[in-house]
């Protein structure tokens, strides 16, 4: 992963099961590739939870040159003028959580088959971090703006309390080649595909 990444945008969400196939087709082939046209958005990664113990099923990560990318005209235009499919998909998403992190540590690759999301201090996770082929530590910013289109009932804090999910204040992303049993309350994810429109002829 590029060492030019100074910030991370993380979005968690669920989707109504009846729309799951359409959601994944749109998200992989239109939505994330569209976001990657924004100058300063360095990577976009999609994941689906493996553990199923709590929290939203989907996680999307965007590596940013800096947090100002989210205030740029290019990104704000995409928020204000969604494609027809994006406008439809906004209504089927729920348990939405959004957080922006200042990147403190970035080593190796995050685009591996498996990812653990953990909250904690580096000392606690040192054995895992030392063995991991990729990891990122981020500190959540208190000035994260909510998505302007989210309606009441779509955020995780307003739904079933058992499903409520608060983005970690100190985020550790630990990438792995193979799935392993969850340890220490981690959320474990497998990576999902993203179409690479930037290299299309």
């Amino acid at each position: 992963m590029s060492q030019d990444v100074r910030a991370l945008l993380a979005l968690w969400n669920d989707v109504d099961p009846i729309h799951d196939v359409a959601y994944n087709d749109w998200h992989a082939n239109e939505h994330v590739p569209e976001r990657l046209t924004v100058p300063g958005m360095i990577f976009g990664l999609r994941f689906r939870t493996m553990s199923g113990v709590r929290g939203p099923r989907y996680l999307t990560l965007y590596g940013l040159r800096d947090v100002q990318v989210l205030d740029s005209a290019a990104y704000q235009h995409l928020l204000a003028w969604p494609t027809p499919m994006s406008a439809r998909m906004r209504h089927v998403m729920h348990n939405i959580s959004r957080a922006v992190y200042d990147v403190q540590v970035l080593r190796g690759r995050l685009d591996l088959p498996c990812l653990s999301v953990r909250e904690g201090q580096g000392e606690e996770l040192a054995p895992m971090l030392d063995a991991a082929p990729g990891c990122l530590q981020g500190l959540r910013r208190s000035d994260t703006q909510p998505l302007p289109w989210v309606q009441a009932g779509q955020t995780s804090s307003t739904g079933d309390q058992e499903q409520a999910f608060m983005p970690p204040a100190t985020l550790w992303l630990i990438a792995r080649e193979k799935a392993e049993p969850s340890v220490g309350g981690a959320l474990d994810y497998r990576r999902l595909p993203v179409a690479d429109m930037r290299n299309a002829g």
Side-chain angles (χ1 to χ4, degrees):
M1 309 301 293
S2 172
Q3 298 304 307
D4 294 331
V5 173
R6 299 187 186 91
L8 183 82
L9 172 61
L11 297 116
W12 289 264
N13 68 277
D14 275 321
V15 62
D16 296 336
I18 193 172
H19 299 294
D20 198 69
V21 172
Y23 168 83
N24 277 286
D25 180 66
W26 160 76
H27 207 245
N29 296 302
E30 177 183 306
H31 185 70
V32 175
E34 178 189 58
R35 266 36 186 179
L36 292 175
T37 66
V38 173
M41 277 204 172
I42 297 170
F43 66 76
L45 299 172
R46 304 177 60 235
F47 297 89
R48 179 171 179 157
T49 186
M50 293 189 297
S51 61
V53 293
R54 70 182 194 281
R57 184 183 312 135
Y58 293 106
L59 167 64
T60 311
L61 302 174
Y62 295 102
L64 309 175
R65 179 190 60 222
D66 50 49
V67 296
Q68 285 71 39
V69 171
L70 300 178
D71 295 322
S72 68
Y75 181 71
Q76 291 298 315
H77 177 82
L78 295 181
L79 289 180
W81 300 98
T83 67
M85 183 58 80
S86 293
R88 288 196 290 272
M89 288 294 107
R90 286 178 176 183
H91 296 291
V92 304
M93 297 165 63
H94 55 97
N95 288 341
I96 299 169
S97 294
R98 184 177 192 259
V100 179
Y101 294 88
D102 290 317
V103 173
Q104 307 294 306
V105 174
L106 176 58
R107 186 180 74 241
R109 298 171 53 197
L110 297 181
D111 58 341
L112 296 175
C114 302
L115 186 77
S116 285
V117 177
R118 295 170 182 266
E119 183 169 20
Q121 300 303 314
E123 296 80 7
E124 303 168 13
L125 304 175
M128 288 193 66
L129 296 172
D130 290 343
C135 66
L136 179 146
Q137 181 199 22
L139 299 180
R140 193 177 73 218
R141 298 178 61 94
S142 60
D143 58 353
T144 300
Q145 297 297 309
L147 289 166
W149 53 264
V150 172
Q151 302 295 311
Q154 285 189 291
T155 59
S156 61
S157 60
T158 60
D160 186 336
Q161 290 305 305
E162 290 184 359
Q163 292 296 319
F165 177 78
M166 176 62 69
T170 301
L171 177 78
W172 278 100
L173 304 176
I174 303 171
R176 309 187 310 276
E177 292 283 0
K178 298 180 180 179
E180 299 167 356
S182 179
V183 176
L187 285 174
D188 295 325
Y189 292 86
R190 62 179 175 85
R191 189 162 64 92
L192 298 174
V194 173
D196 188 354
M197 306 303 292
R198 292 178 295 187
N199 293 330

